[in-house]
Amino acid sequence: MRERGERAQTGIDFLVGATVFLIAVGFVFAFVPSMFAPFGGSGVNDALIADRSAAYLAEYALVEDPANPGVLSTACTAAFFDEDGVRAENHGCDFDHAQIDDLTALLGLQEWKNAQITIGEPDEVPTENITMQRGDDPPSAGSDTVSQRVVSIEGETYELRVRVW
C-alpha cells in the first residue's frame, strides 16, 4: 500500500507535459502545410516574375535610352506590339523580332507560365493603330499576378501592366 506522501504525478509535472505536447502539436500544424506548398503550384513566384518582366520592359527593352528608364521609344514599343510590321533591329531595340514571337522566351518564363503585357487601354496609346497588348487573356477561373510601371511615350504618361499566371 502507498503512503500518503508518495504521488506519481505532481501539478508541475502535468503542466510541463501538457506544455510540451501543445508546442509539438502547434509545430506540426505550422510546419506540415509549408512542407507541401512547393507541390501545390500556387503561383508564389508569379509576383517576382511579373515584377522582373515589367522592370525589363520599362527599363531596358522598350526604352529610348537606358539612362532614362520609363521613357519608352515609340519605334521599339510599336515593334514590340506589332506582330507583322516594324522590325525591332532597325531601331536599336534591346530585343529582336524573333524573340517577340515567343513571349515566354523573351521574358525568361518557364514554359508552363503565361504572360500578358499591355500599355494603357488598347485604344488609348497613339502608335500607328497598333493594339498595345501582347499575350493571351488570363483564364477567368484562375488567379493572376499583376505588376505595373508608369511609363512615358511621346511625353504622355501610360501604365505598363504585366500579368502572369
Side-chain angles (χ1 to χ4, degrees):
M1 201 148 116
R2 283 201 288 181
E3 292 184 23
R4 190 154 175 82
E6 293 180 28
R7 292 180 49 181
Q9 184 177 20
T10 64
I12 294 175
D13 292 336
F14 178 76
L15 181 63
V16 170
T19 303
V20 169
F21 175 75
L22 290 176
I23 289 173
V25 168
F27 178 76
V28 168
F29 278 118
F31 178 70
V32 169
S34 65
M35 185 171 65
F36 294 109
F39 307 109
S42 62
V44 174
N45 293 326
D46 287 354
L48 296 173
I49 293 168
D51 193 55
R52 181 191 68 204
S53 299
Y56 168 70
L57 293 170
E59 296 173 11
Y60 300 103
L62 303 179
V63 297
E64 290 179 359
D65 179 15
N68 232 352
V71 178
L72 304 187
S73 162
T74 305
C76 289
T77 304
F80 181 80
F81 287 102
D82 185 16
E83 297 178 31
D84 302 323
V86 183
R87 290 283 192 198
E89 301 94 34
N90 298 340
H91 303 287
C93 303
D94 192 39
F95 58 90
D96 60 26
H97 208 283
Q99 288 178 310
I100 295 174
D101 295 335
D102 189 6
L103 194 57
T104 56
L106 175 67
L107 298 177
L109 304 177
Q110 294 92 355
E111 58 192 39
W112 64 86
K113 292 286 184 190
N114 293 305
Q116 180 189 62
I117 299 156
T118 57
I119 295 182
E121 297 301 319
D123 59 347
E124 188 178 61
V125 183
T127 52
E128 306 165 15
N129 298 324
I130 297 170
T131 302
M132 301 303 252
Q133 178 176 331
R134 295 285 306 176
D136 299 326
D137 289 330
S140 59
S143 65
D144 60 337
T145 303
V146 180
S147 183
Q148 303 171 346
R149 296 287 189 278
V150 176
V151 295
S152 173
I153 302 173
E154 295 180 358
E156 294 291 322
T157 302
Y158 299 100
E159 187 176 85
L160 169 75
R161 282 184 300 274
V162 177
R163 300 174 93 177
V164 176
W165 65 96

